[in-house]
Amino acid sequence: LFVVNKKELKQNYKLTPKSMGIFQVRNLTNEKVFIGKTENLDGMLNRQEFQLKANGHPNKKLQVDYNELGADKFTFEILE
C-alpha cells in the first residue's frame, strides 16, 4: 500500500527550482520559429503544445500552420 502525503508533495513542488530559459516551437516544413522566454521551461513547453492541440494558441499564424500541417511537423526545443 502506497500512502501519499499531499502536504509534503506540495511543499516539495514549491521548493523544486524551476528551469528558466528560452524556447522555440519550430515548423519543420518551412523553418518558421516561434521563440519565447519563461521562468518555467517544462511548464511552458507543455502549455505551448496543449494550446496548439486545443486550437487556442495566441499566435494565430502558428496555429494555422499547426492545423494545416499537423503536430508531427513541429518540434518544441529548449534554446538556452
Side-chain angles (χ1 to χ4, degrees):
L1 182 63
F2 182 71
V3 178
V4 176
N5 182 336
K6 290 183 182 180
K7 186 174 182 178
E8 185 178 331
L9 286 174
K10 187 175 181 180
Q11 184 65 23
N12 286 342
Y13 175 78
K14 288 181 179 182
L15 293 175
T16 303
K18 306 291 185 267
S19 58
M20 63 174 72
I22 301 169
F23 68 92
Q24 75 178 6
V25 179
R26 185 164 52 104
N27 182 327
L28 300 173
T29 301
N30 60 23
E31 294 299 319
K32 289 181 183 177
V33 294
F34 173 83
I35 297 176
K37 65 179 180 173
T38 182
E39 293 183 9
N40 182 350
L41 280 169
D42 293 334
M44 182 56 76
L45 290 174
N46 183 50
R47 179 180 181 179
Q48 296 297 310
E49 188 172 8
F50 176 82
Q51 287 177 325
L52 287 167
K53 286 181 179 179
N55 197 31
H57 198 279
N59 185 302
K60 298 306 175 195
K61 291 181 180 181
L62 175 58
Q63 186 68 63
V64 167
D65 285 351
Y66 186 87
N67 292 347
E68 289 177 358
L69 300 171
D72 61 323
K73 300 295 184 206
F74 290 83
T75 60
F76 300 83
E77 304 166 347
I78 296 172
L79 299 178
E80 185 176 308

